[in-house]
Amino acid sequence: MAEPDGTTDAARRSAIEAELRRLEESALYSGQMQFEMTKQLRGINLWLGLPASGLAAISGTVALVSATGRVAAGVIALIASGFGAILTTVNASHRMNQAAASANAYLEIQTAARQAREVDLPYLAIDDARQVLAEITARRDEQNKTAEPPNRCTYKKARRNIDSGGQSYAVDDTTAPTGR
């Protein structure tokens, strides 16, 4: 059936399918970048938090054990507080949790786009398919507003992981043996 502008249902369905593929790919990359950012921020949190805690404990011990160790205890305490100040400024723990939540939200969007394309699209009326596309697009756009922009390192690691098949399913591999 042709629309007033001359397009057919098949052409519109094909355009909707292509856009769902774009949403799926966008969510794949965005989610993987957020997962990489989570790992990076976890490392920062540990690299700054562990020395800060350890040095604070050492400083307290030195101060309590020896009256002559006041200067050493003070210097160690200053270094520990420096690590703590950097950790507070970077806010790695909060940002790590936010990146993990964003990554999972992108996975949900990726799954919704794939299911809409592969499972629902062939059976939906064109207007209903267009509505599904609009809803998934709105979810992705909303998530883009709250996700922290990735840095270059997370982009490269995400790309490497995806290119190596780290985000693929065995069921999608057409060369995989079946019927085991």
Side-chain angles (χ1 to χ4, degrees):
M1 180 171 163
E3 296 290 323
D5 66 359
T7 60
T8 64
D9 282 355
R12 286 192 70 204
R13 191 172 303 280
S14 178
I16 291 169
E17 179 183 2
E19 191 59 25
L20 285 167
R21 284 183 186 276
R22 288 181 194 100
L23 283 169
E24 188 179 345
E25 182 178 349
S26 171
L28 168 71
Y29 279 90
S30 295
Q32 188 60 44
M33 284 186 281
Q34 293 297 315
F35 278 126
E36 293 300 333
M37 191 174 304
T38 300
K39 293 180 216 174
Q40 187 179 64
L41 290 165
R42 183 182 326 121
I44 291 170
N45 197 39
L46 289 172
W47 279 100
L48 292 173
L50 290 175
S53 300
L55 290 171
I58 291 168
S59 166
T61 302
V62 169
L64 291 174
V65 169
S66 167
T68 59
R70 287 187 345 218
V71 173
V75 169
I76 295 170
L78 285 172
I79 295 169
S81 68
F83 277 115
I86 294 168
L87 192 58
T88 300
T89 302
V90 171
N91 202 5
S93 179
H94 172 73
R95 290 174 57 207
M96 177 185 67
N97 291 334
Q98 185 179 10
S102 289
N104 286 315
Y106 281 119
L107 280 182
E108 291 172 10
I109 293 164
Q110 178 186 357
T111 299
R114 184 185 66 250
Q115 289 174 347
R117 177 178 54 81
E118 291 190 1
V119 178
D120 300 329
L121 184 60
Y123 308 102
L124 287 174
I126 291 297
D127 290 339
D128 293 339
R130 181 63 184 96
Q131 181 61 37
V132 168
L133 174 62
E135 289 168 4
I136 296 172
T137 299
R139 284 173 61 188
R140 191 268 327 260
D141 292 347
E142 192 59 36
Q143 186 56 41
N144 284 346
K145 291 177 188 175
T146 60
E148 186 167 330
N151 59 47
R152 192 136 190 72
C153 181
T154 59
Y155 173 80
K156 287 179 180 179
K157 285 184 177 183
R159 177 128 194 148
R160 237 185 346 257
N161 189 29
I162 292 167
D163 289 347
S164 70
Q167 287 291 322
S168 60
Y169 295 98
V171 71
D172 294 331
D173 184 5
T174 57
T175 62
T178 58
R180 284 191 195 193

